[in-house]
């Protein structure tokens, strides 16, 4: 059946709509956005018997065209445009959303052990070999950014100027480990590589303690690291639900972390991706704001609430989040997307731990002395509330991407 409608009339409607909002959009741009999965194609609408059909824009296309015209600039990557649209709450096609989040995750750990274990080589030996190669190449994973070290030194200097013994001996007295280790940058790099390649199979109580000690200010005792290191001794019956006797943590899947994250991207509801994206941005704002507030107190030589919040964050698990958010000066949309999926993985681990160990005192996360980014705390707690949502990594066990 022939169409009596102008074949370009639908696109002309979109271009006219953009122009009314102050943007000039060309047919070439519309075609490019459609090929990138950012804009729905026009649909054919029957005009009635004998009248043929006409091409009409999708209802959602009008808002998308204006947003794309506003966000587009020379050299802008389609994946970044998709994430920008997603961030503003525009109806980006689900397929496109999952593709751009997946692309961001695939950028993690590129080049690490791509060839896999050699014949007869088990996975642990393979991961250690790859880690040794990375360290030998001179690459280093710095857990504590220079900005954080400057803040730590500034606080210590202020305390000493006031005659306060620093770090506080009371904190060291609560650390049960008589000879705590503090990993070097070489050791931290090797540990990061093996964890990326082996996932939960590489995580142990001692490894968690080492990480907490590695991110804290130099020379400090760390009761929280001590609690992690002595978990199996303190609660052997409960610990075996989480830490396997032969090594590894059961609340995180074994295998390359990137594979786990990709499965999560494919399986997670879009609402969860949106929540994680929102929390990711808010958590980074919290971290950078905290840095600025502490630096202002140091500049004024008056330590107050921000310094306390900083010190508590540095010694707790939230210090991992704080250091990670500070490490990326240039935070691209892809960085935010991969961080968002990492937060989903964290929430899933909390949820799985809650199932394995009912009765966990999660309410302690709300204690005044436990400083955690408020948006992240609410996000993690939402995963613990009964909601009928998937509560086990079993849903993501089989690779599907």
């Amino acid at each position: 059946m022939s169409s009596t409608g102008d074949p370009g009339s639908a696109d002309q409607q979109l271009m006219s709509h953009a122009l009314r909002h102050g943007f000039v959009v060309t047919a070439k741009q519309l075609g490019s956005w459609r090929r990138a999965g950012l804009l729905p194609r026009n649909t054919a609408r029957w005009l009635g018997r004998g009248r043929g059909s006409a091409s009409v824009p999708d209802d959602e296309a009008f808002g998308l065209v204006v947003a794309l015209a506003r966000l587009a600039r020379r050299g802008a990557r389609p994946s970044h445009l998709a994430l920008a649209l997603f961030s503003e709450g525009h109806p980006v096609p689900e397929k496109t959303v999952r593709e751009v989040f997946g692309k961001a995750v695939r950028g993690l750990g590129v080049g690490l052990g791509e060839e896999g274990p050699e014949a007869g080589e088990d996975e642990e030996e393979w991961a250690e070999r790859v880690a040794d190669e990375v360290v030998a190449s001179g690459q280093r994973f710095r857990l504590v950014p220079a900005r954080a070290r400057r803040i730590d030194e500034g606080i210590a200097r202020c305390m000493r100027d006031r005659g306060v013994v620093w770090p506080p001996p009371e904190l060291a007295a609560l650390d049960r480990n008589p000879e705590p280790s503090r990993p070097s940058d070489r050791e931290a790099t090797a540990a990061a590589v093996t964890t990326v390649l082996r996932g939960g199979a590489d995580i142990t109580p001692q490894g968690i303690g080492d990480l907490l000690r590695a991110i804290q200010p130099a020379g400090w005792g760390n009761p929280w690291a001590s609690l992690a290191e002595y978990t199996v001794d303190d609660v052997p019956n409960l610990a075996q639900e989480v830490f396997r006797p032969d090594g590894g943590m059961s609340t995180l899947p074994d295998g390359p972390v990137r594979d786990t994250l990709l499965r999560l991207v494919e399986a997670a509801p879009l609402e969860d991706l949106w929540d994680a994206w929102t929390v990711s941005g808010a958590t980074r704002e919290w971290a950078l704001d905290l840095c600025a507030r502490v630096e202002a107190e140091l500049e004024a030589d008056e330590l107050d609430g921000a310094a306390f919040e900083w010190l508590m964050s540095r010694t707790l698990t939230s210090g991992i989040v704080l250091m990670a958010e500070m490490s990326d000066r240039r935070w691209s949309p892809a960085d935010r997307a991969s961080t968002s999926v990492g937060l989903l993985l964290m929430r899933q681990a909390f949820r799985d731990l809650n199932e394995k160990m009912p009765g966990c005192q999660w309410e302690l996360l709300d204690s005044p002395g436990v400083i955690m980014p408020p948006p992240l705390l609410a996000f993690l707690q939402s995963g613990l509330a009964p909601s009928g949502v998937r509560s086990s990594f079993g849903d993501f066990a089989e690779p599907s991407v």
Side-chain angles (χ1 to χ4, degrees):
M1 182 179 292
S2 63
S3 173
T4 60
D6 179 358
S9 63
D11 282 357
Q12 186 60 54
Q13 290 181 52
L14 294 175
M15 290 185 284
S16 298
H17 181 76
L19 189 60
R20 286 195 294 273
H21 286 77
F23 300 103
V24 176
V25 171
T26 67
K28 183 178 179 180
Q29 284 179 300
L30 295 177
S32 176
W33 293 335
R34 288 195 180 101
R35 288 191 296 274
L38 302 173
L39 188 67
R41 297 187 179 279
N42 298 324
T43 57
R45 177 175 297 170
W46 298 107
L47 301 177
R49 189 173 219 177
R51 298 175 59 194
S53 64
S55 181
V56 296
D58 186 282
D59 290 341
E60 295 177 340
F62 291 96
L64 283 169
V65 162
V66 173
L68 283 165
R70 173 172 49 82
L71 295 168
R73 62 185 184 281
R74 184 179 293 276
R77 299 177 182 177
S79 58
H80 287 186
L81 283 176
L83 290 171
L85 290 172
F86 181 75
S87 181
E88 294 183 358
H90 293 285
V92 185
E94 178 175 339
K95 181 175 181 289
T96 302
V97 172
R98 296 193 188 279
E99 284 177 351
V100 294
F101 271 85
K103 181 179 180 180
V105 168
R106 288 186 182 89
L108 301 173
V110 172
L112 290 180
E114 299 286 351
E115 74 287 352
E118 296 178 353
E121 184 180 34
D122 70 29
E123 289 187 356
E124 185 173 5
E125 292 175 343
W126 162 66
E128 291 176 353
R129 174 173 60 81
V130 174
D132 289 341
E133 293 171 355
V134 170
V135 170
S137 72
Q139 298 182 57
R140 295 291 182 271
F141 180 64
R142 300 193 184 281
L143 291 168
V144 183
R147 186 179 184 182
R149 289 196 297 271
R150 288 194 296 269
I151 292 175
D152 291 338
E153 292 164 0
I155 291 176
R157 185 169 56 252
C158 282
M159 291 298 188
R160 288 194 297 268
D161 290 346
R162 288 163 173 74
V164 177
V165 177
W166 201 258
E170 296 85 357
L171 192 65
L174 295 174
D175 191 340
R176 295 165 54 194
N177 193 330
E179 298 180 355
S181 61
R182 181 182 173 86
S184 65
D185 284 345
R186 290 173 59 95
E187 292 168 330
T189 300
V193 171
T194 55
T195 301
V196 166
L197 294 177
R198 301 189 68 226
D202 195 63
I203 300 176
T204 64
Q206 184 60 53
I208 295 174
D210 286 345
L211 176 60
L212 292 176
R213 294 185 190 282
I215 65 171
Q216 72 183 30
W220 284 49
N222 193 321
W224 293 89
S226 175
L227 283 173
E229 292 160 351
Y230 287 93
T231 296
V232 176
D233 293 336
D234 291 343
V235 285
N237 293 333
L238 293 176
Q240 66 182 357
E241 293 291 330
V242 180
F243 295 104
R244 297 186 287 264
D246 58 344
M249 190 176 190
S250 63
T251 54
L252 287 172
D254 293 348
V257 172
R258 185 170 57 180
D259 292 350
T260 298
L261 294 176
L262 285 172
R263 294 195 293 271
L264 195 52
V265 167
E266 185 176 87
L270 284 187
E271 293 81 2
D272 284 2
L273 286 173
W274 167 255
D275 288 345
W277 173 271
T278 303
V279 170
S280 177
T283 300
R284 181 171 174 82
E285 289 178 6
W286 167 85
L288 297 181
D289 175 68
L290 176 57
C291 290
R293 288 188 287 117
V294 178
E295 289 165 342
E297 291 183 2
L298 289 170
E299 180 69 22
D301 198 29
E302 284 290 338
L303 300 187
D304 201 353
F308 173 77
E309 188 175 352
W310 172 269
L311 293 172
M312 294 303 296
S313 298
R314 294 285 279 109
T315 56
L316 301 179
T317 308
S318 56
I320 300 173
V321 177
L322 178 59
M323 294 301 101
E325 295 294 355
M326 292 178 62
S327 63
D328 293 323
R329 290 187 178 182
R330 299 176 180 176
W331 207 47
S332 71
D335 292 330
R336 182 173 177 180
S338 59
T339 299
S340 301
V341 184
L343 293 182
L344 275 180
L345 182 63
M346 184 188 298
R347 186 173 71 172
Q348 187 67 46
F350 270 57
R351 184 180 291 159
D352 204 46
L353 178 62
N354 192 50
E355 281 208 340
K356 290 178 180 294
M357 301 176 63
C360 285
Q361 295 176 297
W362 299 112
E363 64 274 10
L364 293 178
L365 294 175
D366 287 315
S367 300
V370 179
I371 305 297
M372 184 174 283
L376 178 59
L377 175 60
F379 178 73
L380 295 176
Q381 289 176 327
S382 71
L384 301 173
S387 61
V389 181
R390 284 186 301 269
S391 58
S392 170
F393 275 117
D395 295 310
F396 308 116
E398 293 300 324
S400 54
V401 294

